[in-house]
Amino acid sequence: MRLALPRRLLIGLWSLAMGCAALAAEPPAGTLDTVGSDTMAGLMLRWGERLAREHPGVGVQLQASGSASAPPALTAGTALVGPMSRPMTEAEREAFEARYGYPPREVLVARDALVVVVHRHNALPSLSRSELDAIFSETNRCGAEAGIRRWQALGLQVPRGRIVLHGRNAVSGTHGLFRREALCGGSFRPEVNEHPGSAAVVAAVAADPRAIGYAGLNHLTSSVRAVPLRDERGRRQAPDPAAVRRGDYPFARDLRLYLNLAPGDSLPPAERAFVELVLSEAGQAIVEELGFVSLPPDVVTRQRRRLGLGLGRDDG
């Protein structure tokens, strides 16, 4: 049976459909507020610049005060996007869920690694986890019998004297990961010089032949040298991109975005455009350009599907 509709109703339905189509085609606009990781500040900035070129109506407001600042901002509603160089803690997730009734949405965006750096003229061949712990901690939870305070204890004649320590501050995800993995959850020595960013750690180590520090992989410069890590069998593993991508390097980590996105909801236009870019060929090319490690293609595809972004696009 064919149902005839009044002409006025047909015109109304057609107008509604055209209005919805126009709304759907409208380019994203507005300000995307992000609060979180200092390690990811360069990535967020470059992604934001690319997004502004593609969608001039979208601006990215970036606050990079450390990974620990992302969960409170997401929970308070002052940001919908929180970049973090570590996973949220259980307490951070619970605080978010208590406010909204659903968990934050996690999106992997890149791979990174922590590297131990020394002055470029330092010939230290490698370090074991217990040696790292003995150098940086006062608890020696990784098995060392005593702390290591001088370079001679590591078999070096140059440099001589006391080891000068540099690291990140406590709000940093880099600080938390190094404490968990290199110190076996122990406590840092109080004489570790804390810095707000990895670039500052690298600069401090580069300026002092007696110094050692830890930083993000993408902050390596020719003024410092990354020290290979030695496993229980004595095998050395340098932080090369292939090892980081496979997860073979012991201090490899995922970089994440956390989103305030309720189950069943779609991302707002500005946030959707940003995440779409991050999980595109162009977005992952930026990851590589900045010294991080891009995600495996299957991980990108899986996340795009989960977020309703389709199979991707050719970004040239």
Side-chain angles (χ1 to χ4, degrees):
M1 177 183 296
R2 185 174 181 181
L3 182 64
L5 296 176
R7 184 172 180 273
R8 182 177 297 177
L9 179 57
L10 287 171
I11 293 174
L13 290 173
W14 179 85
S15 300
L16 178 61
M18 291 301 100
C20 290
L23 185 61
E26 185 177 343
T31 301
L32 190 153
D33 292 307
T34 75
V35 177
S37 169
D38 167 79
T39 295
M40 296 174 64
L43 272 175
M44 297 296 289
L45 180 62
R46 285 288 299 278
W47 283 330
E49 291 171 346
R50 172 85 185 212
L51 183 69
R53 290 199 301 271
E54 294 187 358
H55 302 289
V58 177
V60 177
Q61 186 72 36
L62 173 63
Q63 182 179 325
S65 353
S67 291
S69 63
L74 289 168
T75 301
T78 55
L80 293 181
V81 178
M84 295 185 68
S85 61
R86 62 163 174 83
M88 272 196 190
T89 66
E90 184 176 349
E92 289 166 341
R93 288 179 179 274
E94 287 176 352
F96 183 94
E97 288 192 49
R99 170 75 184 272
Y100 295 101
Y102 53 85
R105 183 74 63 91
E106 180 186 82
V107 182
L108 305 183
V109 296
R111 295 280 286 166
D112 186 27
L114 301 191
V115 292
V116 178
V117 293
V118 294
H119 189 273
R120 66 184 183 278
H121 295 317
N122 189 316
L124 183 65
S126 64
L127 284 170
S128 68
R129 191 180 303 246
S130 64
E131 287 173 334
L132 261 181
D133 183 37
I135 292 169
F136 278 92
S137 86
E138 59 181 4
T139 46
N140 295 337
R141 288 188 180 178
C142 295
E145 294 182 358
I148 296 175
R149 303 292 181 263
R150 303 179 71 82
W151 286 108
Q152 285 67 41
L154 291 168
L156 297 180
Q157 297 304 311
V158 179
R160 295 192 64 82
R162 181 175 60 90
I163 301 172
V164 180
L165 305 174
H166 295 275
R168 295 295 308 279
N169 54 20
V171 299
S172 161
T174 301
H175 175 282
L177 177 61
F178 192 81
R179 177 176 176 270
R180 185 172 66 251
E181 297 295 333
L183 276 57
C184 296
S187 301
F188 281 96
R189 289 168 53 192
E191 55 265 45
V192 177
N193 296 288
E194 294 188 347
H195 300 272
S198 284
V201 173
V202 169
V205 173
D208 187 351
R210 301 172 304 151
I212 188 171
Y214 61 91
L217 173 65
N218 70 309
H219 286 89
L220 285 178
T221 71
S222 59
S223 298
V224 297
R225 187 172 64 83
V227 180
L229 301 180
R230 196 171 65 250
D231 66 16
E232 294 82 359
R233 299 182 181 179
R235 296 175 299 188
R236 298 178 185 178
Q237 180 63 70
D240 63 85
V244 173
R245 186 175 287 109
R246 292 192 307 266
D248 292 343
Y249 181 73
F251 296 163
R253 61 177 174 178
D254 291 313
L255 301 181
R256 301 162 163 83
L257 295 179
Y258 282 98
L259 311 174
N260 186 342
L261 180 63
D265 284 359
S266 298
L267 287 166
E271 284 75 11
R272 181 184 178 89
F274 183 75
V275 176
E276 171 112 29
L277 168 64
V278 169
L279 297 178
S280 70
E281 291 182 13
Q284 290 298 296
I286 289 172
V287 169
E288 297 281 350
E289 289 168 13
L290 293 187
F292 296 99
V293 178
S294 61
L295 296 174
D298 62 315
V299 175
V300 173
T301 299
R302 185 165 61 248
Q303 293 192 113
R304 291 186 64 91
R305 285 175 172 161
R306 185 163 55 89
L307 292 164
L309 300 178
L311 296 180
R313 56 181 181 170
D314 183 6
D315 294 277

